[in-house]
Amino acid sequence: MKQIVITRKGDASVLKIGEAPDAKPGKGEVLIRVLASGINFADILARQGLYPDAPKIPCVVGYEAAGTVEALGEDVSGFDKGQAVVALVRFGGYSDVVSVPANQVFAKPDSLTFEQAAALPVNYLTAYGLLVAMGSLKQDESVLIHNAGGGVGLAALDIAKHIGATTYGTASGSKHGFLKERGLDHAIDYRTTDWLSVLLDLTRGKGVELIIDPLGGGNWKRSYKGLRSTGRLGVFGFSAAAGLGLANKLRLLKELAKIPRFFPLSMMSSNKGVFGLNLGHMWHENAKIRKWSDAILQGVNEGWVRPYVDKVFPFERVAEAHQYIESRKNIGKVVLVP
Ligand SMILES: NC(=O)c1ccc[n+]([C@@H]2O[C@H](COP(=O)([O-])OP(=O)(O)OC[C@H]3O[C@@H](n4cnc5c(N)ncnc54)[C@H](OP(=O)(O)O)[C@@H]3O)[C@@H](O)[C@H]2O)c1
C-alpha cells in the first residue's frame, strides 16, 4: 500500500511517498480503501516535531479518512464490502488503505463526496465538543470563534448558526468576505488590529459568553478578558507554536511563559469558566463520540452541517498541501487523495 511518511522532523519536503505491506483488518476492525484523507493542523505540528501525541518519527499521520469497505475483520458486522464510509483514524490516515476499529467507522452520507466526508470527523467533532458538549452555547448567547476561516472554525460557525447564537470570528482579512457569506455576523482581522479591543467595542464593553481558542500562549489570557459574566473559555490548541528553527523556539518559549494561570477564587468572583478539549484523548469515550457523530450526521441530512473543502491535492503533492495551510491560505479543509 501507498503511504505518506514523515521521514524526519522538518519542513514540508520531509514528507515522502513510501510503500508498506498491505494492511489487514484485525479483530473488530474494518479495512478501508481510502479515497480521501483529511489534513489537520496537528499533522503539520507533528511534522515540525511539536505535537506530543504524534507517533515516533518516521511515521504516517492522518486522523481521518473516507473511502469504501475493502474487508471486515473477525467479529465485525453492520458493514458491507464496498460500502462508502468515513472514519476517525488513530494515525495512518495518509495511506491508500487503512484498518480502523469498527466503532470509529460511520456510513458516509450519500449527499457528500468522499472529499467532503473526509472533512467531517475531526473538525465537526471538535467543534461540537467545544460549542455543545462543553461550551453549552445557547440561542441568546454570543460566541467568538478564533481562526473562524479554518477547518474547525467553519465547523464551529455552522454549529453556532444552527444554535442561533450571535457569531464573532477572527481570521485573516482575505477570508472575511467568505465568512460573511457563510453567515458570520462579525468578522475581526486579528492580524492587523487588536482583536480584543474590536470585540469589546462591538459588544459595548461586555464581551461574549463563549470563546474557543486554538492559538494558545498569551492569546488565552486575552480571550479570558473577552468573556462577559457567565462566559466560558474553551482552549483546544497551540497554533502559536507552529514553525521551525531557533527563532521559532525562542518565540515558543515566550508564548509558553505567557500562558495564564486560572484561579478558582478569581473565576468565582468574575463568573467565568475555563475548559479544555482534546479530541485525540477521547478514544476511550466512544459512546460519547458516536452520540456527537449522530448529531453531526443528522446536521448533514438537515443541511446545516456543510463541510467546506477548499483544495484537494494528490498524495504526490502533499508538500504543497501542507505549505498551503502553513501559509494561512486555506479556507476550511484541505484534503489529500491517493
Ligand atoms: N484539541 C482538539 O481536539 C483539536 C482538534 C482539531 C484541531 N485542533 C486545533 O485547532 C486549530 C485549528 O486546526 P485546523 O485543523 O482546523 O486548522 P486550520 O484552522 O484550518 O489551520 C490553518 C489556519 O490557522 C490559522 N493560523 C493561526 N496561527 C497559525 C500559524 N502559526 N500558522 C499557520 N496558520 C495559523 C490560519 O488562519 P487565519 O490566520 O487566517 O485565521 C490558517 O489558515 C489548531 O491549533 C489545531 O491543533 C484541536
Side-chain angles (χ1 to χ4, degrees), residues 39-41 119 123-124 127 145-158 169-172 175 178-179 182 190 212 214 236 239 306-310 325 328-334:
I39 300 184
N40 288 289
F41 204 76
N123 289 344
Y124 280 88
I145 301 164
H146 279 300
N147 295 148
V152 175
L154 283 187
L157 180 57
D158 274 356
T170 64
S172 300
K175 301 176 186 175
F178 177 85
L179 284 166
R182 291 281 287 198
Y190 75 128
I212 60 166
F236 69 108
S239 298
R306 307 166 294 164
Y308 181 78
V309 177
D310 180 356
I325 298 173
R328 300 173 182 249
K329 291 191 185 124
N330 70 302
I331 296 184
K333 197 73 175 179
V334 180

Side-chain angles (χ1 to χ4, degrees), residues 218-273:
N219 208 63
W220 284 337
K221 189 171 183 182
R222 290 159 54 69
S223 287
Y224 189 74
K225 287 187 182 162
L227 295 176
R228 67 186 286 176
S229 297
T230 75
R232 293 86 67 193
L233 166 63
V235 301
F236 69 108
F238 211 123
S239 298
L244 289 163
L246 187 61
N248 191 65
K249 242 183 209 157
L250 295 174
R251 204 180 47 76
L252 173 56
L253 287 175
K254 273 192 197 158
E255 285 299 332
L256 287 170
K258 284 192 223 159
I259 292 177
R261 290 171 183 221
F262 297 107
F263 297 101
L265 287 174
S266 71
M267 288 199 278
M268 184 168 74
S269 305
S270 51
N271 291 296
K272 294 182 184 181

Side-chain angles (χ1 to χ4, degrees), residues 148-207:
V152 175
L154 283 187
L157 180 57
D158 274 356
I159 294 169
K161 295 307 296 175
H162 178 65
I163 291 169
T166 303
T167 51
Y168 298 79
T170 64
S172 300
S174 59
K175 301 176 186 175
H176 288 198
F178 177 85
L179 284 166
K180 284 180 184 155
E181 275 171 32
R182 291 281 287 198
L184 183 71
D185 298 312
H186 305 278
I188 303 172
D189 186 344
Y190 75 128
R191 296 183 61 199
T192 57
T193 61
D194 171 4
W195 68 261
L196 181 57
S197 308
V198 178
L199 178 74
L200 292 175
D201 281 350
L202 288 168
T203 57
R204 294 199 203 95
K206 285 195 178 118

